[in-house]
Amino acid sequence: MAATLNYDWNVTWMTANPDGMMERPVIGINGQWPLPVLNFTRGDRVIAKVHNGLGNESTSIHWHGFYQNGTNEMDGPPHVTQCDIPPGATMVYNFTVDQTGTYWYHSHSRGQYPEGLRQALVITDPENPYAGQYDEELVLTLSDWYHDQFRYLLEGFISVTNPTGAEPVPNSALMNDTQDLMIPVEQGKTYLLRLANVGAFASQYFWIEGHTLRIVEVDGVWTDAAETDMIYITSAQRYSVLVTMKNETSQNYAMVGSMDTELFDSLPPTLNYNVTGWLVYNDQAEKSAPAELSSFNPYDDFNLRPVDGMECLPDADYTVTLNMKMDNLGDGANYAFFNNRTYVMPKVPTLYSVLTTGSAATDPAIYGTDSLAYVLEKNDVVDIILNNGDDGKHPFHLHGRNFQLIYRSPENAGHFDASNPPPFATVPMRRDTVTLEPLGNFVLRFRADNPGVWLFHCHIEWHMDSGLVAAFIEAPLDIQRSITIPDDHLQVCSTGGFMTAGNAAGNTEDLYDLTGENRAPPPLPEGFTPGGIVALVFSCIAAVLGMIFIVWYGMAPITTQIPTRRFSDPPEEVGE
Ligand code: C2O
């Protein structure tokens, strides 16, 4: 029954205007945008040939949430499991699908998926526990949307002109890459609505007026049905909900995605942070605007219970504690840190280092000074304790598996107290992306039974690009026994001029000599506090710009160009 699904993709620039306010370049596949929603079935083999026809940017495809058991080299992140695919080059992703549920695929190249190279993906479960309890499936993506290209916004974001690290605020929200979406429904029917947030930054509250949502899946894990009026879905999370239609057709009902504005440093007056669609029972009836809500009360996903009843794994054999913060470095820009290090991509993809360093592959030191590498032993039970030193919410994602969320503090709880741990969930919720509360903490648990190099990162693309990333190198000696890099992947590296062997710096002789490795900018010069940078920059901005910038740039240890901030014209009024 298992099929082989062949895709032949040309990734190119096109233009689109999904919010009706501004046409802009977007990245399409074979001349199509929005991208196709993919449908797989458990057991299928996927062979996706990806040609980079962008001309001016490298690319890659990550299959978000896929276990890639035995095929770590097909996971997608550049500098981790492959080289970035340069313009003109082609790479084949070839793997079998051994899981079910709602996923998505997206570029994992720096700052690229928010340009549109992302879409939902559904894997049908031949043993769906809810089969027979619904009539039809629908896929609904939510996302934020920027009018300016992310690559330009990124130059301004990680810059001395933005020392506080304020993230650019999206220009609008989208539902299935449009607005005012109409979904024709039939009275009395039950729909399985598969929701995926494919956005770059904003979490969204989602509700349907007059209808109850029954959550039955999160990130590929079937759950016992949980009733709610509202869910909170962060970037990269997925939910399946059962929704039963009313038995009459006099009215239509609004569905709303509402961006969590607490994530935004400012709220531009022109921003419509909601996106609305309608369940259309009756095309003749009105599609009235949704009621304004004064507060949000979404379901807490910590309380979900997997259908398989998998219990909390035994106590950890190995615990990784990550203390997270945001801070400035010597270039004056704001970066994100785990344990006082901000992630920098190694010159050699980490998986390729594993494969070419023999027994040294078990030593995290060879993977680079700023690569946040943690080596895990095969079959260990691993806990990741994450302490949030930042006052924002962050959606954290681990590649290669789902994990148990065994504890999550409320906001402002401070660091997790490992010497006096709270009781852990007995049948914990599992998923692959979870929210970390502001100044709070959580504990994830999993068994290291999937040899490979797996990234762990905040899925807010701004934070990923400012270094909020760690790399777990799971059972490196097993990786050496089980993985061979295909020739076309190596060819991509040689086309791009990337090294494929040795330590993080590409040294194959002395694996402990990292001379020439990629490094983070140096810390702030002594006596130069982040507060000083903030004050200096703000006084500069307030003063006569040209002169002061020239003088100051002459003094400061700056290596980057002055970014061109490209703020678009304010959007027109949004029709309700
Ligand atoms: Cu959606 Cu690193 O991934």
Side-chain angles (χ1 to χ4, degrees):
M1 284 245 311
T4 299
L5 306 170
N6 281 288
Y7 299 95
D8 195 347
W9 287 347
N10 187 15
V11 174
T12 62
W13 287 107
M14 338 176 12
T15 56
N17 184 3
D19 61 4
M21 291 193 275
M22 185 162 142
E23 182 141 301
R24 56 151 288 170
V26 298
I27 299 178
I29 290 180
N30 297 343
Q32 189 183 339
W33 195 90
L35 304 184
V37 174
L38 302 183
N39 286 286
F40 303 163
T41 301
R42 178 175 212 149
D44 285 349
R45 169 165 293 274
V46 173
I47 304 178
K49 188 173 161 196
V50 177
H51 177 72
N52 180 356
L54 293 171
N56 63 342
E57 282 188 25
S58 295
T59 195
S60 55
I61 300 289
H62 169 54
W63 313 85
H64 180 113
F66 279 56
Y67 307 153
Q68 298 289 11
N69 188 278
T71 48
N72 182 223
E73 73 280 17
M74 303 299 172
D75 192 42
H79 302 265
V80 182
T81 60
Q82 65 168 77
C83 295
D84 224 357
I85 309 169
T90 303
M91 176 179 274
V92 178
Y93 294 91
N94 182 338
F95 53 90
T96 49
V97 179
D98 191 20
Q99 58 199 110
T100 65
T102 312
Y103 297 88
W104 60 305
Y105 63 105
H106 63 82
S107 167
H108 216 291
S109 299
R110 185 176 171 85
Q112 192 173 66
Y113 84 76
E115 319 280 37
L117 189 47
R118 79 282 186 284
Q119 185 55 291
L121 181 173
V122 173
I123 311 173
T124 299
D125 186 353
E127 287 154 48
N128 178 349
Y130 291 97
Q133 295 186 39
Y134 61 90
D135 302 285
E136 263 181 62
E137 292 194 11
L138 298 168
V139 174
L140 204 67
T141 62
L142 296 167
S143 77
D144 45 24
W145 191 249
Y146 291 90
H147 289 164
D148 296 309
Q149 280 188 58
F150 208 87
R151 50 198 292 224
Y152 299 124
L153 292 172
L154 201 50
E155 289 172 17
F157 172 63
I158 304 177
S159 151
V160 66
T161 60
N162 184 32
T164 61
E167 301 84 2
V169 175
N171 297 95
S172 45
L174 302 177
M175 195 179 270
N176 282 0
D177 287 318
T178 186
Q179 294 182 334
D180 300 330
L181 179 74
M182 305 287 168
I183 299 191
V185 295
E186 280 180 50
Q187 59 170 314
K189 274 195 172 178
T190 297
Y191 294 86
L192 180 79
L193 200 53
R194 295 180 179 272
L195 291 148
N197 185 336
V198 300
F201 178 20
S203 302
Q204 295 201 28
Y205 297 96
F206 176 82
W207 68 95
I208 305 178
E209 292 195 333
H211 293 71
T212 301
L213 313 175
R214 273 187 296 150
I215 302 168
V216 293
E217 180 221 333
V218 282
D219 300 356
V221 179
W222 292 113
T223 67
D224 290 351
E227 278 197 11
T228 183
D229 292 330
M230 183 182 287
I231 59 170
Y232 182 79
I233 178 167
T234 72
S235 168
Q237 286 188 326
R238 292 88 62 210
Y239 279 87
S240 284
V241 295
L242 291 171
V243 190
T244 298
M245 299 302 110
K246 300 188 181 291
N247 277 315
E248 51 96 28
T249 61
S250 63
Q251 276 188 61
N252 300 315
Y253 292 87
M255 321 179 264
V256 189
S258 184
M259 294 194 286
D260 179 359
T261 55
E262 278 178 26
L263 296 161
F264 303 157
D265 286 76
S266 63
L267 210 49
T270 50
L271 173 66
N272 177 7
Y273 48 86
N274 293 335
V275 58
T276 306
W278 283 271
L279 295 182
V280 180
Y281 284 78
N282 175 351
D283 210 24
Q284 307 308 311
E286 227 188 304
K287 283 127 200 150
S288 31
E292 293 257 349
L293 299 187
S294 53
S295 65
F296 299 101
N297 187 20
Y299 190 86
D300 180 354
D301 63 342
F302 187 82
N303 298 324
L304 292 168
R305 189 182 190 281
V307 164
D308 60 26
M310 188 204 272
E311 290 180 10
C312 188
L313 290 166
D315 286 351
D317 302 298
Y318 184 66
T319 298
V320 178
T321 302
L322 298 172
N323 297 327
M324 179 200 136
K325 67 166 184 186
M326 306 296 196
D327 205 352
N328 297 80
L329 286 175
D331 61 355
N334 196 273
Y335 292 86
F337 299 79
F338 281 139
N339 300 346
N340 296 316
R341 297 223 172 264
T342 185
Y343 179 84
V344 173
M345 291 171 177
K347 286 189 168 164
V348 175
T350 304
L351 173 62
Y352 294 10
S353 288
V354 171
L355 294 173
T356 54
T357 52
S359 58
T362 58
D363 190 337
I366 67 157
Y367 300 105
T369 312
D370 295 318
S371 69
L372 279 297
Y374 293 86
V375 173
L376 306 180
E377 277 187 45
K378 179 109 198 262
N379 287 326
D380 269 4
V381 173
V382 179
D383 277 0
I384 302 175
I385 298 174
L386 185 46
N387 295 313
N388 189 353
D390 177 66
D391 60 5
K393 292 174 205 158
H394 297 271
F396 275 93
H397 169 50
L398 178 58
H399 286 219
R401 56 171 36 85
N402 53 55
F403 46 74
Q404 298 183 324
L405 179 64
I406 62 174
Y407 178 75
R408 178 167 54 201
S409 82
E411 57 180 274
N412 296 317
H415 281 203
F416 181 77
D417 183 1
S419 63
N420 183 22
F424 292 137
T426 47
V427 179
M429 182 273 288
R430 299 198 307 281
R431 62 188 314 169
D432 63 44
T433 308
V434 282
T435 307
L436 175 64
E437 295 294 336
L439 298 167
N441 63 72
F442 66 46
V443 186
L444 312 181
R445 183 169 286 181
F446 61 90
R447 190 179 290 284
D449 55 4
N450 189 12
V453 180
W454 308 114
L455 279 193
F456 177 68
H457 61 87
C458 176
H459 218 293
I460 291 176
E461 185 64 23
W462 303 115
H463 300 162
M464 163 109 186
D465 296 333
S466 58
L468 203 44
V469 181
F472 290 102
I473 299 157
E474 187 168 332
L477 302 181
D478 287 78
I479 300 175
Q480 292 175 354
R481 283 191 284 275
S482 57
I483 301 238
T484 324
I485 304 301
D487 285 341
D488 68 298
H489 287 219
L490 294 171
Q491 183 58 46
V492 160
C493 301
S494 68
T495 306
F498 298 112
M499 291 181 284
T500 54
N503 66 17
N507 192 330
T508 52
E509 303 290 314
D510 180 354
L511 297 175
Y512 291 89
D513 178 1
L514 289 159
T515 309
E517 67 171 330
N518 293 336
R519 289 296 310 270
L524 281 171
E526 206 142 353
F528 213 66
T529 62
I533 289 235
V534 174
L536 182 53
V537 168
F538 285 141
S539 63
C540 285
I541 289 169
V544 189
L545 287 170
M547 254 337 269
I548 295 203
F549 264 119
I550 290 162
V551 172
W552 188 55
Y553 267 84
M555 315 176 337
I558 306 295
T559 48
T560 47
Q561 292 289 312
I562 299 175
T564 347
R565 304 293 306 255
R566 304 189 189 192
F567 293 111
S568 7
D569 298 325
E572 289 148 31
E573 283 292 294
V574 186
E576 279 290 311

